Amino acid sequence: ENPLVESPPELENPEFVELARLRQIETLENLRGQVEAEINLNQQFEWFKDSVSFEVSEDGLMVQIIDRENRPLFDSGDARLRPYALEILWSIGEIFGTVPNKISVFGHTDSAPFGTSDTYSNWELSSDRANSARRALVDGGVRPEQLAQIIGMADSVPMDANNPLNPANRRIVIMVLNAVAESNLDAQSEAGLSAGTPPPELIPDPEPLEIF
């Protein structure tokens, strides 16, 4: 049974809405517990305990995997995950693939300028790293249709705003969306489609071809 789906009549009843919200929180807390148990019980992930944080927020379950100076997720300037980072993302993907929730993946960098070219900056690097995390999650068990967003954030949302070069600012964020966040995302997508497509009356008729 999918705890994120309620029929329209139930959604009009505040008691059912609150029950659905509590059920979603319970589902996400259980998901969090499964990942924490995998990390705590698997000796090969001992290094990972101080590199991950979990939070059940109003948007869903947020998992942040941060870089460490002596245990980075990626080589400097590289979008390929290190083998031990792949292992943990495969395990997370196996667990997250068991739920119906949509998933967003965000890549973050620190503020150190990357390279000397304007064609590949921290924006491109963070996007490529988010896609590397996406591929690892899918290889682990996340279904492609679960994926809602894959976004590179560069250094626009630092974890440590007082120290923009802190390695902790380099991180991958995985958000398991709840029903409200997913609905909001769908609404944003529909708004974007509407904004990008003018109504028929505003689309000019093609100019007739002149034949000489």
Side-chain angles (χ1 to χ4, degrees):
E1 182 182 359
N2 184 347
L4 304 180
V5 177
E6 303 291 343
S7 63
E10 289 176 332
L11 291 175
E12 296 175 3
N13 186 320
E15 293 183 2
F16 278 104
V17 171
E18 177 62 12
L19 177 61
R21 187 183 73 84
L22 294 175
R23 290 170 65 193
Q24 291 177 54
I25 291 175
E26 182 181 7
T27 297
L28 294 173
E29 288 287 4
N30 287 337
L31 202 62
R32 169 182 177 166
Q34 290 180 53
V35 177
E36 287 185 317
E38 175 69 14
I39 293 168
N40 291 329
L41 296 176
N42 194 327
Q43 288 187 344
Q44 70 171 325
F45 297 147
E46 182 70 27
W47 67 272
F48 187 71
K49 292 179 181 178
D50 63 350
S51 297
V52 64
S53 66
F54 302 90
E55 179 184 356
V56 176
S57 69
E58 60 183 15
D59 293 322
L61 171 61
M62 180 173 66
V63 181
Q64 292 201 88
I65 308 172
I66 67 173
D67 234 349
R68 295 291 182 191
E69 200 65 63
N70 60 346
R71 201 68 165 173
L73 302 174
F74 305 88
D75 288 332
S76 178
D78 201 325
R80 290 172 297 180
L81 285 156
R82 288 199 170 189
Y84 49 78
L86 279 171
E87 292 280 352
I88 191 65
L89 283 169
W90 289 338
S91 294
I92 291 175
E94 182 177 5
I95 294 169
F96 285 177
T98 64
V99 297
N101 308 55
K102 293 283 189 178
I103 294 172
S104 294
V105 183
F106 303 88
H108 297 262
T109 66
D110 60 24
S111 294
F114 177 74
T116 58
S117 171
D118 292 335
T119 61
Y120 197 87
S121 66
N122 278 328
W123 288 103
E124 285 79 18
L125 180 62
S126 62
S127 297
D128 288 345
R129 287 179 171 181
N131 264 306
S132 290
R134 170 193 62 82
R135 287 190 291 270
L137 290 170
V138 170
D139 288 344
V142 166
R143 303 179 306 282
E145 63 270 20
Q146 280 184 269
L147 297 164
Q149 295 175 307
I150 310 298
I151 300 178
M153 302 294 291
D155 61 343
S156 61
V157 187
M159 176 178 284
D160 182 359
N162 294 322
N163 183 4
L165 297 179
N166 187 334
N169 291 325
R170 303 191 297 263
R171 64 201 192 277
I172 293 295
V173 176
I174 306 164
M175 176 68 74
V176 182
L177 303 177
N178 60 25
V180 174
E182 184 178 334
S183 178
N184 290 340
L185 193 60
D186 289 341
Q188 291 173 15
S189 298
E190 291 176 7
L193 288 173
S194 300
T197 307
E201 62 269 19
L202 295 182
I203 301 177
D205 292 327
E207 295 288 335
L209 293 174
E210 295 185 6
I211 301 177
F212 297 95

